[in-house]
Amino acid sequence: MRNFDYFKPGKITDACSLLSKYGEKAKIIAGGQSLLILMKEKIVCPSCLVDITEIPNLDYIQYDNKGGLRIGALTTHREIESSSLIKERFNVLSEVEKAIASIQIRNVGTIGGNLCHGDPCGDLAPLLIGLEAQVKLTGFESERLVPLEDFFTDYYETVLKEDEILAEIQIPSLLLSGGQWYSKCSPRETDPAIVGVAVVASLESPDGICRKIRIVIGGAGPVPLRSKKAEKRIEGNRLDEKLIEEAAKIVKEEVAPVSDIRGTEEYKREMVELLTKEGITGALEKVKK
């Protein structure tokens, strides 16, 4: 790796000041599970690293019925996976965390770093978008909330400004009549998704009329994609096998995967269709329980 300056500020304002001073030459490091690999391969060559691990009040999991779930950016994957609060109220998030890399990486890697890395094959982003998450971005002189759906802009790129830090992830309270599901296609359970599909659905009544649904696909384009056409087709209608198959075909045509070493475009589209059917059916079953 090339030489770089290293700072370990104790306040978020000091970290943002350093980011503002160094601009695009600076990188934030927390767990470092993705950044260090990129640096070793000389894909990124920052002249400044800002270590935020000593900044207080960025590692927490909190919940209340009004504000929903709040997770600090420095919270590790393992902490989320093991949290009794999350298992009780957002169990799908705990289950997805179990399928992220190895336990050694989950012990160190943070949720904030995972999202800021912007990997389109990541497991968390599609699910969190399905759960209507938003992120709090703290800058040197400002703070803003951004829906996670609007956070990603391209492959490994986000809306973060040069002086901003992702400080918190916020997820609203789940509807009691809701069901959540995430499934992915990958060589091994803990490998990154070739494609992944998250479905969050709620019903108006026991007769199967869908009140609301969000379908989000990862790994089939530069950023996670919400299939609004499929959602519109489903909402207000009774979920049956025919409608589920129709919606899955809509999603298959709406995604924009590219052929690469991990699979052809055709293969990825077929897997998206299959996983969408599985996801809607799985979410529906959880609602019925």
Side-chain angles (χ1 to χ4, degrees):
M1 289 187 283
R2 298 178 183 176
N3 292 335
F4 53 83
D5 293 328
Y6 175 78
F7 299 95
K8 202 169 188 177
K11 298 179 181 179
I12 195 167
T13 51
D14 293 340
C16 292
S17 177
L18 286 166
L19 294 174
S20 178
K21 176 182 177 180
Y22 281 85
E24 63 181 15
K25 297 180 180 179
K27 287 290 184 182
I28 296 172
I29 186 168
Q33 301 304 292
S34 301
L35 178 60
L36 289 178
I37 294 173
L38 296 177
M39 291 175 64
K40 287 178 180 179
E41 296 295 330
K42 295 184 173 58
I43 296 173
V44 297
C45 301
S47 59
C48 166
L49 284 187
V50 180
D51 186 337
I52 63 172
T53 55
E54 292 298 314
I55 297 176
N57 304 319
L58 285 180
D59 177 3
Y60 55 85
I61 298 172
Q62 301 172 353
Y63 179 84
D64 64 72
N65 290 329
K66 182 178 180 180
L69 180 66
R70 284 175 163 76
I71 304 175
L74 289 182
T75 308
T76 66
H77 298 297
R78 182 62 174 159
E79 288 171 327
I80 297 170
E81 174 192 344
S82 305
S83 167
S84 57
L85 187 156
I86 288 180
K87 287 180 180 178
E88 178 185 355
R89 298 185 177 274
F90 296 83
N91 187 57
V92 65
L93 180 55
S94 177
E95 291 299 316
V96 168
E97 286 283 10
K98 292 178 182 177
I100 294 179
S102 65
I103 192 169
Q104 291 88 349
I105 288 177
R106 298 200 298 276
N107 278 333
V108 179
T110 64
I111 186 172
N114 180 283
L115 296 176
C116 290
H117 184 48
D119 186 346
C121 297
D123 295 314
L124 283 179
L127 175 60
L128 291 173
I129 291 172
L131 292 171
E132 302 184 41
Q134 57 183 2
V135 288
K136 182 169 73 175
L137 309 182
T138 300
F140 182 56
E141 295 181 334
S142 63
E143 188 173 270
R144 59 182 175 139
L145 288 175
V146 176
L148 189 60
E149 182 180 353
D150 301 327
F151 181 68
F152 307 99
T153 59
D154 208 336
Y155 291 102
Y156 303 97
E157 294 184 9
T158 71
V159 299
L160 274 169
K161 297 177 182 177
E162 288 183 348
D163 70 332
E164 286 184 325
I165 292 173
L166 192 160
E168 182 180 79
I169 297 90
Q170 302 177 358
I171 306 173
S173 298
L174 292 174
L175 294 172
L176 294 177
S177 61
Q180 308 84 43
W181 189 271
Y182 176 78
S183 54
K184 67 178 178 180
C185 166
S186 59
R188 296 177 300 179
E189 182 184 17
T190 55
D191 285 341
I194 297 174
V195 291
V197 176
V199 178
V200 179
S202 60
L203 303 182
E204 287 185 344
S205 59
D207 61 6
I209 301 296
C210 183
R211 175 183 179 186
K212 183 177 182 180
I213 190 167
R214 288 170 75 96
I215 303 170
V216 188
I217 303 90
V223 300
L225 169 71
R226 229 186 105 195
S227 183
K228 296 182 180 180
K229 290 181 181 179
E231 293 172 0
K232 185 177 180 180
R233 178 66 187 89
I234 290 175
E235 289 178 347
N237 294 293
R238 181 175 289 104
L239 277 169
D240 55 25
E241 185 175 344
K242 181 179 179 181
L243 181 57
I244 291 172
E245 289 186 358
E246 183 180 341
K249 290 186 182 299
I250 292 174
V251 177
K252 175 184 178 181
E253 295 304 318
E254 199 170 359
V255 294
V258 295
S259 297
D260 55 27
I261 193 172
R262 306 171 73 216
T264 64
E265 175 189 350
E266 181 182 8
Y267 172 73
K268 292 179 182 180
R269 286 187 187 274
E270 292 296 329
M271 291 308 302
V272 164
E273 181 180 12
L274 177 65
L275 293 177
T276 300
K277 288 191 285 188
E278 178 182 311
I280 298 173
T281 303
L284 181 60
E285 288 298 318
K286 289 191 175 184
V287 172
K288 291 179 179 178
K289 291 180 180 179

